[in-house]
Amino acid sequence: MSLTPSSAPPVWRELLGREYLGAAIVLAGGVLVGAINIYLAASLLPTAVADLGGASFYAWNMTIYLVAMVIATMLTGRFLSRWGNVGAYLLGFAMFTASSMACALTPAMAVLLVSRGVQGLGAGLLSGLGFAVIRSALPSRLWTRGTALMSAMYGVGNFAGPALGGLFAQAGSWRPAFVVMAVIGAGCGALVPRVLPRGERGAARVPVPALSLLLITAAAGAVSVAGVVAGTLAKALSVAAALLLMAGFVVHKRRSGLRVFPRTTYRRGSPLKWVYLTLGLLAFGVAVESFLPLFGQRLAGLPPLVAGFFAAAISLGWSVTQIGSSSVTGHRAVRRLRVLGPVLLAAGLLVQGLLLRGDTPLWLAAVWVPVLFAAGAGIGLAYPHLSVAAMSSTQDPEEGGRAAAAIATVTSLSIAFGTAVAGVLLNLDGGSMLDAARYVLFGLAIICALGALTAQAANRTSRDDQAAIHSGT
């Protein structure tokens, strides 16, 4: 089994040429709308609360959306088997478009939260489909560039979400932002039948992994509760419960016939589990973007719109670096980038924490931007190569689709848990915003640094696996 991309150099001009441009727009657009909406509502929510009320539900806005995304990505295989490429994509864009309009027209906070849940389901399905359908929509020589384009959409979305939300919030009108998202979703959906292969529908219906979904939802809920309950013991018990539920999820998926991850993941000595862990630890660092606007406003006195752009420096670094990183094809260079990425991400978060001050002058706040850009660059260096490693882990089309769809599941799940963990760290401050910010940044830096170890394990087991193949063992 090879976990390295094709040696044939991919060409951006070919991916964005007439033959594949439509497919690239649909694949990237589906990921983009979901990524934008992770943070769009966060920027709009203060204005929405002033209009609708329901401030007590504020913290659940992000949790409901992200958990719904995770659930939908886990069901991607079922939708593909039932509806094929075109049908599944049309369903995803329809859910996203309708729920975005429902958000725009909502009369109450409870309706907004339900609509955000449906929006998360549509966004999660679209994210999962992007990585699953790329195998049939694009030739293998373009997988690296196609994956880079889609994963860059997480960075672009995390930049555009706060910016778009901040613009509408500053104008005092939050509802049109959701209308804009509905229009984008409808436009991408209209392209689907013309640019994507229909794909084969499965002969047998894929069962719903109900217990897996329950365990994931309960684990995310437990971490979210840890962020709001009072007392160290209560927080520790909530986190412990989340870890036990996640361990139960892993054990169940290993034994169950209803797999979210391909069977290769569970094979002894397989590098695939380390690839997914590294992807997850990289995505974990993205969670800090939910809190950077708060730190910018409280510690540096930045206005909301400026703080939103400041927070997007990580995403910008991710997106820009990924474009260049995807051009690297040498096996040794790719392995180095997989390890360097988590190191650079962790170092950026660590330095950012050291630069924080209680009353930050403007010149020092300006220094934060290149530091956070460098942290995001760590994600961009490693993410596309890890994604292609997962997609190339098997020649079986069904298992390959499962391996690709699992990339979106891991990314969404890690961002959801990273946001919840950062919320727990934020509430350890004892009233000091400076201490809270440092807890978040240092804590996430330590967790993300573990990605260097998992990347080394992926590289090592990949070489061992290839050596076994060449020796015929």
Side-chain angles (χ1 to χ4, degrees):
M1 177 183 64
S2 174
L3 287 180
T4 54
S6 171
S7 58
V11 182
W12 280 110
R13 184 179 300 175
E14 183 179 3
L15 175 64
L16 301 179
R18 179 178 299 180
E19 185 175 1
Y20 299 114
L21 178 60
I25 291 174
V26 170
L27 297 175
V31 176
L32 177 62
V33 293
I36 287 177
N37 276 275
I38 292 177
Y39 299 110
L40 174 70
S43 301
L44 297 173
L45 206 57
T47 308
V49 167
D51 183 16
L52 300 174
S56 59
F57 294 102
Y58 191 102
W60 290 96
N61 174 75
M62 183 74 78
T63 301
I64 289 175
Y65 181 82
L66 289 172
V67 170
M69 281 192 72
V70 172
I71 290 173
T73 58
M74 293 175 65
L75 295 174
T76 299
R78 176 180 174 84
F79 284 111
L80 278 174
S81 177
R82 178 67 178 85
W83 300 101
N85 295 340
V86 171
Y89 253 110
L90 288 175
L91 177 62
F93 278 119
M95 291 174 63
F96 180 84
T97 301
S99 57
S100 295
M101 286 303 302
C103 288
L105 300 173
T106 181
M109 178 59 69
V111 179
L112 177 63
L113 292 177
V114 172
S115 300
R116 282 283 285 169
V118 178
Q119 194 182 46
L121 290 173
L125 178 57
L126 292 171
S127 297
L129 287 171
F131 290 96
V133 174
I134 189 175
R135 289 173 60 93
S136 58
L138 300 176
S140 60
R141 66 181 179 277
L142 295 179
W143 285 358
T144 302
R145 290 294 172 97
T147 301
L149 179 64
M150 283 190 295
S151 51
M153 293 302 102
Y154 285 107
V156 173
N158 292 350
F159 179 86
L164 181 63
L167 285 172
F168 280 100
Q170 194 151 317
S173 180
W174 59 275
R175 295 178 187 271
F178 288 110
V179 176
V180 170
M181 296 313 305
V183 171
I184 295 174
C188 290
L191 290 175
V192 169
R194 290 182 282 176
V195 301
L196 290 185
R198 292 197 170 272
E200 296 182 3
R201 300 185 182 184
R205 181 170 295 184
V206 179
V208 176
L211 182 56
S212 298
L213 297 177
L214 178 61
L215 289 169
I216 286 292
T217 304
V223 180
S224 298
V225 168
V228 297
V229 296
T232 303
L233 179 60
K235 292 180 184 296
L237 290 174
S238 297
V239 171
L243 292 175
L244 288 173
L245 288 165
M246 283 302 299
F249 168 78
V250 173
V251 172
H252 170 67
K253 295 316 298 178
R254 185 169 186 171
R255 297 177 177 177
S256 171
L258 307 179
R259 295 186 310 278
V260 174
F261 301 102
R263 64 172 62 91
T264 308
T265 311
Y266 308 104
R267 182 170 60 83
R268 185 176 181 180
S270 169
L272 193 52
K273 57 180 173 292
W274 300 115
V275 169
Y276 284 134
L277 280 171
T278 309
L279 280 168
L281 290 167
L282 287 171
F284 213 89
V286 179
V288 75
E289 288 193 327
S290 296
F291 302 90
L292 288 175
L294 176 64
F295 301 156
Q297 292 179 52
R298 297 286 183 86
L299 298 178
L302 300 176
L305 182 58
V306 176
F309 279 107
F310 149 75
I314 288 182
S315 294
L316 186 61
W318 177 1
S319 301
V320 171
T321 307
Q322 194 158 243
I323 294 174
S325 173
S326 64
S327 301
V328 178
T329 57
H331 296 339
R332 181 174 298 180
V334 166
R335 288 196 293 266
R336 288 175 177 172
L337 290 179
R338 292 176 188 169
V339 177
L340 179 60
V343 172
L344 186 57
L345 172 60
L349 296 177
L350 176 63
V351 172
Q352 176 61 35
L354 294 172
L355 290 175
L356 294 176
R357 298 291 184 271
D359 188 12
T360 305
L362 185 59
W363 69 266
L364 184 56
V367 175
W368 293 356
V369 176
V371 172
L372 292 170
F373 183 95
I379 305 174
L381 288 177
Y383 196 99
H385 301 292
L386 291 163
S387 298
V388 172
M391 289 192 298
S392 305
S393 62
T394 177
Q395 298 299 319
D396 181 84
E398 182 179 352
E399 285 290 285
R402 185 176 286 114
I407 297 170
T409 300
V410 169
T411 301
S412 300
L413 185 62
S414 296
I415 294 175
F417 273 89
T419 302
V421 169
V424 174
L425 296 171
L426 185 74
N427 289 326
L428 297 176
D429 64 281
S432 168
M433 179 52 63
L434 177 60
D435 289 342
R438 285 176 172 166
Y439 281 138
V440 171
L441 287 162
F442 292 160
L444 292 182
I446 292 171
I447 294 171
C448 293
L450 297 175
L453 301 179
T454 58
Q456 286 180 328
N459 290 340
R460 183 175 59 254
T461 51
S462 177
R463 287 194 296 267
D464 293 344
D465 197 49
Q466 290 173 10
I469 291 175
H470 293 319
S471 64
T473 58

